[in-house]
């Protein structure tokens, strides 16, 4: 791993841990030499903003969290150093807080979601946001075949957002590679349906943030 990435990641993790007042949180401080200040500030400010906005309620970290949290924050900082957009960093921050709220704060859990979220494009995030909303609607309202109806409505909403049918199919295939949408055989081609991973993600992140972020 490049030296500047190590120092950058350690600086972000150290700064964030010190904000939580976790015993031992300053132990990474000695690595914080020459780091990328602008991206470090963006990463720290984004995380702390999500911590304070209350979407997951009041979240507090404990001494027992320090080991997974160090690993998680180092990976989070790497996403920032690799150029993850603010919307992606906000969602990653929400994943950390959601995992803590659900008592599943574990570096493996975060790494799985980080691999999915850090470099998603605006169009892919929009499709995921619509997918979460539609899946929730149909869990309550739909009596039809959920695979057929889900895909039809998702295509309609993406088309209303300015995407062509061929673009929508390509985006669905792209999102599907992460297991967020599942391809199913259909007459004349493929349909897509919501997966358990989509529902898990919907429990961790603010879907409204995705949809509003894509509109700006």
């Amino acid at each position: 791993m490049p030296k500047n990435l190590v120092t950058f990641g350690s600086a972000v993790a150290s700064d964030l841990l010190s904000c939580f007042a976790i015993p031992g949180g300053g132990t990474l401080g000695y690595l914080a030499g020459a780091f990328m200040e602008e991206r470090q500030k963006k990463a720290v400010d984004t995380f702390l903003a999500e911590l304070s906005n209350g979407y997951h309620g009041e979240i507090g970290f404990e001494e027992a969290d320090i080991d997974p949290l160090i690993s998680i924050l180092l990976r989070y900082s790497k996403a920032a150093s690799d150029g993850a957009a603010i919307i992606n960093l906000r969602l990653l921050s929400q994943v950390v807080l959601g995992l803590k709220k659900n008592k599943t704060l574990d570096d493996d859990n975060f790494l799985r979601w980080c691999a999915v979220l850090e470099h998603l494009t605006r169009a892919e995030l929009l499709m995921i946001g619509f997918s979460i909303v539609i899946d929730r609607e149909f869990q309550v309202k739909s009596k039809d075949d959920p695979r057929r109806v889900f895909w039809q409505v998702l295509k309609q909403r993406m088309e209303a957002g300015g995407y062509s049918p061929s673009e929508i199919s390509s985006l669905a295939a792209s999102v599907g590679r992460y297991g967020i949408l599942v391809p199913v055989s259909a007459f004349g081609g493929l349909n897509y349906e919501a997966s358990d991973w989509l529902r898990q993600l919907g429990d961790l992140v603010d879907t409204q943030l995705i949809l509003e972020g894509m509109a700006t």
Side-chain angles (χ1 to χ4, degrees):
M1 182 179 294
K3 183 178 178 182
N4 68 332
L5 181 57
V6 173
T7 54
F8 171 76
S10 300
V12 173
S14 181
D15 283 358
L16 286 172
L17 287 170
S18 66
C19 293
F20 302 144
I22 299 175
T27 58
L28 296 176
Y30 74 94
L31 289 174
F35 51 79
M36 296 171 278
E37 292 184 10
E38 207 171 308
R39 286 187 176 178
Q40 180 199 356
K41 186 175 187 302
K42 178 178 76 170
V44 172
D45 288 349
T46 299
F47 192 96
L48 294 180
E50 293 306 317
L51 181 66
S52 63
N53 77 7
Y55 175 71
H56 280 301
E58 186 174 345
I59 301 293
F61 291 91
E62 306 162 358
E63 186 170 358
D65 297 323
I66 189 167
D67 285 345
L69 196 55
I70 288 173
S71 178
I72 286 168
L73 294 178
L74 285 171
R75 185 62 183 85
Y76 169 82
S77 68
K78 182 181 183 301
S81 74
D82 286 346
I86 288 291
I87 182 69
N88 301 69
L89 291 177
R90 291 187 67 184
L91 293 171
L92 288 174
S93 300
Q94 289 185 357
V95 166
V96 178
L97 301 176
L99 291 174
K100 171 60 180 175
K101 178 182 177 181
N102 295 340
K103 303 185 187 305
T104 55
L105 187 67
D106 177 270
D107 50 351
D108 283 342
N109 287 334
F110 178 75
L111 289 173
R112 179 182 67 156
W113 290 117
C114 191
V116 172
L117 292 172
E118 64 178 322
H119 295 312
L120 287 176
T121 66
R122 291 172 62 87
E124 289 168 337
L125 285 172
L126 182 64
M127 175 166 278
I128 289 173
F130 280 144
S131 295
I132 292 171
V133 170
I134 294 166
D135 182 59
R136 288 173 177 168
E137 291 173 355
F138 289 150
Q139 286 184 47
V140 175
K141 299 177 182 179
S142 179
K143 296 181 180 178
D144 296 321
D145 180 347
R147 292 177 296 183
R148 180 176 61 82
V149 175
F150 173 87
W151 179 232
Q152 285 181 347
V153 176
L154 179 56
K155 288 192 296 183
Q156 290 169 2
R157 295 195 187 176
M158 291 297 292
E159 286 174 359
Y163 295 91
S164 69
S166 61
E167 288 175 319
I168 295 167
S169 295
S170 296
L171 285 169
S174 180
V175 171
R177 76 185 189 273
Y178 297 112
I180 301 297
L181 295 178
V182 179
V184 292
S185 297
F187 181 75
L190 286 177
N191 284 353
Y192 288 85
E193 64 180 23
S195 71
D196 288 340
W197 277 28
L198 177 75
R199 296 175 187 121
Q200 290 174 29
L201 182 60
D203 289 337
L204 293 172
V205 301
D206 181 1
T207 309
Q208 198 61 33
L209 166 65
I210 299 176
L211 299 180
E212 289 178 354
M214 298 307 99
T216 58

